[in-house]
Amino acid sequence: MKLDSIALHHGYEAEASTKAAAVPIYQTTSYTFDNTQHGADLNNMKVKGNIYTRIMNPTAEVLEKRVAEMEGGVAGLALASGMTAITYAIQSLTEAGDNIVSTSQLYGGTYTLFSQVLPRMGVEVKLIPADDFAGFESAIDDNTKAIFCESIGNPAGNVVDVKKLAEIAHKQGIPLIVDNTVATPYLCKPIELGADIVVHSLTKYIGGHGTSVGGMIIDSGRFDWAANKQRFRVLNDPEPAYHNLNFAEALGELAYITRCRVVSLRVTGAAIAPMNAFQILQGLETLGLRIKRHCENAEKLASYLSAHEKVNWVNYAAMPTSPYYQNCQKIVKGKASGILSFGIKGGAQAGAQFIDALQMILRLVNIGDAKSLACHPASTTHRQLTAEQLKSAGVSEELVRISVGIEHIDDIIADVSQALDAVSV
Ligand SMILES: *Cc1c(COP(=O)(O)O)cnc(C)c1O
């Protein structure tokens, strides 16, 4: 099936006893065992089935199957948030003493995880600008377990050459992990471009209505963990946290995603709530329609802003003047999703005045809602960063980010226009 149809149908057949057409919300913590032997077999993964909602849930499972199918992966793991997905994705490959190499243009939470939290747990993250391919090659050493990037950087708006990073990773025998939150599978399917693992914040475009936080890891199933038992010890050594299972040997293409579930999720517990999985499934149904409209509206707003006298620059990768235009054609079908940023004449102060004058567009820190949203990253998402770090993350002080919604474009432009009129510096 095509993406639009997968989003509506994949992974669910009207449940046998009730014939419910919509995916039911399985609001249960636990699932009964037929007998003691059945319980033991479930825990030993000898038979398939549910045990406890911290580890799996039938509503979440439909979401996992649907998004994994849209991304071209073998399996998905739905989680409490996008940050959980990123944390578990890395935790499932690394131990203290290991490192990963990442693009430096990152979502603020990811930047803090990589620059502050993981290093204190003994996992170093080397941050390299996304287009510095030589920098990536030389940063990789024997303890490097993965390359990480965002297909479209948030808020930098840079489009990353995912194909090239996959080549670099594979040449050195390591997987590429791609955060595909901003692009969504409609604009980019990282697995087709060579990525091994995809992560999502479902909170954004996939949920699409600003109601539910969620995340997901999707495994391509293609990476051969057993090819380097020394490097990928975590998947090749007997796992004391799970019955001494050797994941690579026992589970083949499902080794990694299963370890994410039965070690990271089972033991640290950031499970998605069944109700959130349900809400996100409702959003997923219209993802294709919304992404089309988000892109159209963002393109129109970008050209409006480009011609405005109070605007210094506009950053939107689908504009021919963008430094990311080539990558935009190559990686995301010439569409740059719904997020654009611009610099106002008058710097940080003008940015604040603009944000305060908005009437319809919401002042908040989120993206991917059906409604238009605006924020000033230097004072919100990225406020913990030093001036140096801001620069490396691709965020300047005058930068205003707009997540362009699906309202009528005339109303979006009218609000932006009156807010720019209100800027007095
Ligand atoms: C929001 C976001 C995240 C984090 O997702 P949460 O669901 O808020 O935890 C990760 N990556 C990107 C690109 C994001 O925009």
Side-chain angles (χ1 to χ4, degrees), residues 1-12 66 69-70 186 284-288:
M1 284 193 283
K2 309 271 195 222
L3 290 184
D4 291 330
S5 317
I6 297 169
L8 288 157
H9 295 289
H10 187 81
Y12 178 70
R66 240 166 235 189
E69 180 73 9
M70 291 174 78
Y186 276 94
L284 184 64
E285 293 195 350
T286 57
L287 179 62

Side-chain angles (χ1 to χ4, degrees), residues 80-84 86 107 110 150 152 154 179 181-182 201-204 213-215 366-367:
S81 68
M83 287 317 303
T84 306
I86 295 167
Y107 171 68
T110 309
E150 295 177 3
I152 300 180
N154 172 21
D179 180 336
T181 300
V182 175
S201 168
L202 304 171
T203 317
K204 313 295 171 57
V213 175
N366 189 20
I367 58 162

Side-chain angles (χ1 to χ4, degrees), residues 359-370:
Q359 291 175 356
M360 177 187 77
I361 299 174
L362 304 178
R363 278 178 288 276
L364 55 74
V365 190
N366 189 20
I367 58 162
D369 194 311

Side-chain angles (χ1 to χ4, degrees), residues 70 106 162 174 185 219 225 229 270 301 305 320 377 413:
M70 291 174 78
L106 292 167
V162 172
I174 59 174
D219 189 349
W225 307 106
K229 294 196 166 63
L301 182 62
L305 286 167
I413 289 179

Side-chain angles (χ1 to χ4, degrees), residues 71 140 201 217 268:
E71 286 287 4
I140 296 169
S201 168
I217 305 173
T268 71

